[in-house]
C-alpha cells in the first residue's frame, strides 16, 4: 500500500505549523503565529489559512489528502475531536475537529500534541523499531506518552501519559496543577525559573535575569538556560541538577513499572543541551532501578525529530486511524 | 470452544497449592508445605506429589490436562520457564518448567505469582470486564501487575509491574531491594514492623509484639495487624496510616500515568481489613490525581478471589498461552 498524503498540524500557544507529509517525510510546510489572545474563531481561521498555504505550495487541493491530523496543547477527546481544555490557548470545549472539517472539507483527527510527538518519535525518530517506549517532554510543563506493545496507550478515559504529575516529593512544591510535589514543580522551565527567583530573593546572586532581559525574553527559555550555563551561573546549574535528579526518579519509577526498551527525552531544553542533559538523569535513574537483568540496556536518548515531530507524528496518528477505520 | 482442563499451581515460600481448574472454577485442590530449606529437589518433588494428589481426586491422568501453569515468587523468564531468582525459596536459576515437564509429562508454563494473581482478578475477580487494570498486592513485600488494553503487560525484559519499587520518598527509608524510598519500605508488612520497632526503641509503648507472641508468630502477620488494631494500639494505627498514605501516592502516580479503570488491592492485609484499608488510600490518591473528567469514576477495590487467585490466575495464563500457540 502506498503511503497516504496527510496534512499534519502542530497547534502551539505561539505558532501554528502545518505540513504535507507522506511516509515520515515533510514535502511542504508553513508556519504562522497562533494569535491565541484574539479568540477561538481567529485561531481556527488561521489554522485553515496555514493549511491552504501548504496545499498551494504542493499544488494540490483538499481531495488529494487522506486526512488532516492536528495536535492541540491540552486535554483532547480523540473520539469527538473536542479540545476540552487548553490553558495556553485559553480554550474550553472547542469542537476543533468539526470546525476544521467544515472549513477544509477533509476528515480531521484531533489529538494531544505530546501524544503526537511521542508517536512521531516512535515511528520515525529515537524510538524507531521498539515495542515499548516512554516519551518525556520537558518544556514550560512536563508532558509524556507511552507506546506499549507497539500501540500508543491512551488509557481508560484517554488521559494516560501525564508523567509530569507523578509525585516525586511528598508534600513538596506547589504545582501548576494545584497539587503538591509533582515532577513538573521541580523540572519544568517554569519551575526552574521559580526556584532561581526564590534563591535570589534569599540573597543569592544570579545572572539569569540579566541574560533573559538581554535576549528580550520574558521567561526562562531554553536559550536563556543555555546562555546562563555557558556563563557559569551557579543558580542555573543547581536548578538544572535539581531538575535532572527529579527527572531521574521519574524515569526510574516509569522503568520499574513499565519496563520500556527506550526512554526518549524531548522539548526545547533537551534539544539545546542534548545528551549532556540526559546523562545525569540516567545516573540517578540507574541508582533507583530495581536490579534485574538487562537494566543497563535500557536506552535514555534525546528525541531526534525536533520541530518536525509535530507534523510527522500527526501523520502517524492519521495513518493509524485510517487503517483502523478500514 | 469448551474450556480446557488445566492444573494451576501457586508456589509460595510456605505452601504449595495445586488445583484442577476449568473456566475459572476450581474442581479439586490440594495444599502441601513447601519445605524450601530442604532444597530445590525436595520442593520440585513435592510440587509433583501435590499435583498427582489433585489428579487422583479428579480421577484423571496427565493426558486429560491441556497444561500446567505454576506461579513462582520471584523473577521468572516466562519463555524458558527458568526461575532466575526467588529469595523466599532461596532459588537461583532453577529450570522449573523443564523439571516439571519431565516429572509430570504435560506442558508446563511458569510465570511470576503476582502477575498470575493479577490476571486471575482481571478475568474472574475484581477487574472482570475491564480493559485497563492495575493490581497492587500488599504482603511482606509489595508486588503488582497491569492489564493494558485487555492484555497483560510484561514489558521489554518481562519484568514490568514492580510497583513496590516506585520511589515515593526521595532519599527515604532503606528498602530490601537495596535502594531508598521505595513504597515497599513504607507500606509492606515488613516495613510496618520495622517502623513500629523503631518507635518502640525510641521509648513509645505498643502491644504489637505481645500480640505477636500470643499468636505464636515470629513476624507481623495480617492477623497480628488486625488484632493490634482491634486492641487500639496507637503505633499500629500510625503504621497503617503511614502505609495508606504512601500507597495513596503510588496509586495516584499509576493513575496519572496509566489511566486505568480499576485498581485492585490484594494480599493478606487487604483480605483482613477490606474496603476499610482501601478507603484512606483512595482519599490520598484523589488528592493527587490530576483533575481530569471522570477521575472520580476510577474504582479502588479489594481483590475477590483470595487464595484461589493463584490457581485460577494460573489457569488464565495457561489458556492465553495455549490460544496464542494455536
Amino acid at each position: 500500500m502506498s503511503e497516504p498524503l496527510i496534512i499534519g498540524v502542530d497547534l502551539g500557544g505561539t505558532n501554528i505549523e502545518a505540513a504535507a507529509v507522506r511516509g515520515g517525510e515533510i514535502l511542504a510546510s508553513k508556519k504562522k503565529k497562533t494569535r491565541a489572545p484574539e479568540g477561538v474563531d481567529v485561531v481556527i481561521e488561521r489554522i485553515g489559512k496555514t493549511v491552504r498555504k501548504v496545499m498551494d505550495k504542493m499544488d494540490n487541493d483538499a481531495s488529494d489528502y487522506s486526512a488532516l491530523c492536528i495536535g492541540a496543547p491540552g486535554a483532547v477527546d480523540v473520539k469527538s475531536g473536542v479540545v476540552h481544555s487548553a490553558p495556553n490557548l485559553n480554550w474550553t470545549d472547542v469542537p476543533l475537529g468539526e470546525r476544521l472539517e467544515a472549513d477544509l472539507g477533509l476528515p480531521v483527527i484531533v489529538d494531544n500534541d505530546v501524544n503526537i510527538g511521542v508517536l512521531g518519535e516512535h515511528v520515525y525518530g529515537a524510538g524507531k523499531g521498539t515495542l515499548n517506549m516512554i516519551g518525556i517532554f520537558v518544556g514550560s510543563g512536563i508532558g509524556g506518552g507511552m507506546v506499549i506493545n507497539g500501540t500508543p496507550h491512551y488509557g481508560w478515559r484517554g488521559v494516560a501519559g501525564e508523567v509530569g504529575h507523578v509525585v516525586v516529593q511528598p508534600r513538596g512544591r506547589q504545582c501548576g496543577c494545584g497539587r503538591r510535589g509533582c515532577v513538573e514543580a521541580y523540572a519544568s522551565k517554569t519551575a526552574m525559573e521559580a526556584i532561581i527567583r526564590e534563591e535570589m530573593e534569599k540573597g543569592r546572586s544570579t545572572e539569569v535575569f540579566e541574560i533573559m532581559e538581554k535576549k528580550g525574553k520574558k521567561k526562562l527559555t531554553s536559550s536563556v538556560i543555555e546562555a546562563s550555563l555557558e556563563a557559569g551561573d551557579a543558580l542555573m546549574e543547581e536548578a538544572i541538577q535539581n531538575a535532572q535528579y527529579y527527572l531521574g526518579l521519574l524515569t526510574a519509577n516509569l522503568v520499574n513499572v513499565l519496563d520500556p526498551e527506550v526512554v526518549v527525552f524531548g522539548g526545547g531544553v533537551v534539544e539545546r543541551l542534548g545528551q549532556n542533559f540526559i546523562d545525569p538523569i540516567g545516573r540517578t535513574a540507574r541508582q533507583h532501578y530495581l536490579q534485574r537483568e538487562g537494566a543497563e540496556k535500557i536506552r535514555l536518548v534525546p528525541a531526534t525529530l525536533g520541530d518536525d515531530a509535530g507534523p510527522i507524528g500527526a501523520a502517524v496518528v492519521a495513518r493509524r486511524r485510517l487503517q483502523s477505520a478500514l
Side-chain angles (χ1 to χ4, degrees), chain A residues 43 67 123 142 145 148 204 232 248 313:
Chain A
V43 172
V123 177
I142 290 181
I148 292 184
R204 293 188 58 188

Side-chain angles (χ1 to χ4, degrees), chain A residues 63-84:
Chain A
S63 65
D64 296 321
Y65 296 89
S66 301
L68 179 153
C69 178
I70 181 164
V76 172
D77 183 333
V78 294
K79 280 177 203 145
S80 65
V82 171
V83 179
H84 281 310

Side-chain angles (χ1 to χ4, degrees), chain A residues 9-42:
Chain A
V9 184
D10 185 32
L11 172 60
T14 313
N15 293 310
I16 299 162
E17 286 180 68
V21 185
R22 197 196 297 270
E25 202 188 336
I26 291 186
L27 306 174
S29 66
K30 179 71 192 168
K31 194 189 268 199
K32 279 184 184 288
K33 293 276 168 214
T34 308
R35 296 201 191 148
E38 296 176 33
V40 172
D41 292 347
V42 170

Side-chain angles (χ1 to χ4, degrees), chain A residues 5-9 17-22 25-31 50-60 65 308 311-312:
Chain A
L5 185 61
I6 287 163
I7 296 283
V9 184
E17 286 180 68
V21 185
R22 197 196 297 270
E25 202 188 336
I26 291 186
L27 306 174
S29 66
K30 179 71 192 168
K31 194 189 268 199
T50 318
V51 170
R52 284 197 188 85
K53 282 278 183 196
V54 172
M55 289 177 175
D56 288 349
K57 280 193 186 181
M58 289 284 292
D59 206 14
N60 275 327
Y65 296 89
D308 293 346
I312 290 177

Side-chain angles (χ1 to χ4, degrees), chain A residues 166-173 180-183 186 245-246 249:
Chain A
V166 166
V167 175
V168 288
Q169 185 71 63
R171 306 180 181 95
R173 288 180 66 83
R180 285 193 170 276
C182 303
V183 65
Y186 293 89
Y245 172 73
Y246 284 108
L249 290 188

Side-chain angles (χ1 to χ4, degrees), chain A residues 103-300:
Chain A
D103 183 15
L104 291 162
L106 76 173
V108 173
I109 295 151
V110 186
D111 205 330
N112 168 270
D113 58 349
V114 179
N115 272 344
I116 282 178
V118 169
L119 294 183
E121 289 293 335
H122 177 246
V123 177
Y124 293 109
K128 202 170 164 177
T130 66
L131 283 174
N132 288 285
M133 165 189 151
I134 295 168
I136 300 176
F137 284 76
V138 181
S140 52
I142 290 181
M146 292 161 289
V147 173
I148 292 184
N149 287 328
T151 305
H153 179 56
Y154 286 96
W156 180 47
R157 294 168 295 156
V159 301
E162 289 291 359
V163 302
H165 301 281
V166 166
V167 175
V168 288
Q169 185 71 63
R171 306 180 181 95
R173 288 180 66 83
Q174 183 76 44
C175 182
C177 76
R179 307 290 177 271
R180 285 193 170 276
C182 303
V183 65
E184 184 168 295
Y186 293 89
S188 65
K189 286 189 284 191
T190 315
M192 287 189 236
E193 181 178 340
I195 289 168
I196 292 171
R197 205 176 285 279
E198 285 163 21
E199 290 299 313
M200 198 180 64
E201 282 163 7
K202 284 183 202 160
R204 293 188 58 188
S205 66
T206 176
E207 291 172 61
V208 167
F209 298 99
E210 279 165 48
I211 291 168
M212 213 183 276
E213 216 184 316
K214 243 183 254 166
K215 286 184 171 279
K217 304 290 184 187
K218 285 175 182 159
K219 57 184 186 180
L220 188 71
T221 62
S222 304
S223 80
V224 174
I225 292 176
E226 192 181 29
S228 302
L229 290 174
E230 277 168 8
D233 188 89
L235 275 188
M236 189 70 245
E237 275 170 17
E238 283 175 34
I240 283 280
Q241 284 163 9
N242 188 55
Q244 287 165 326
Y245 172 73
Y246 284 108
L247 288 169
L249 290 188
L250 170 67
T251 302
N253 287 347
L254 295 173
V255 163
N256 288 339
V257 172
L258 290 170
D259 187 20
E261 182 173 351
V262 63
V263 183
V264 176
F265 293 84
V269 182
V270 179
E271 269 173 49
R272 290 263 169 183
L273 307 178
Q275 195 67 39
N276 287 337
F277 182 72
I278 297 172
D279 286 340
I281 297 173
R283 283 195 288 275
T284 300
R286 278 187 288 275
Q287 285 169 9
H288 290 88
Y289 286 168
L290 191 62
Q291 276 316 315
R292 285 290 172 80
E293 212 173 338
E296 73 289 350
K297 288 183 198 150
I298 299 166
R299 289 181 293 126
L300 275 54

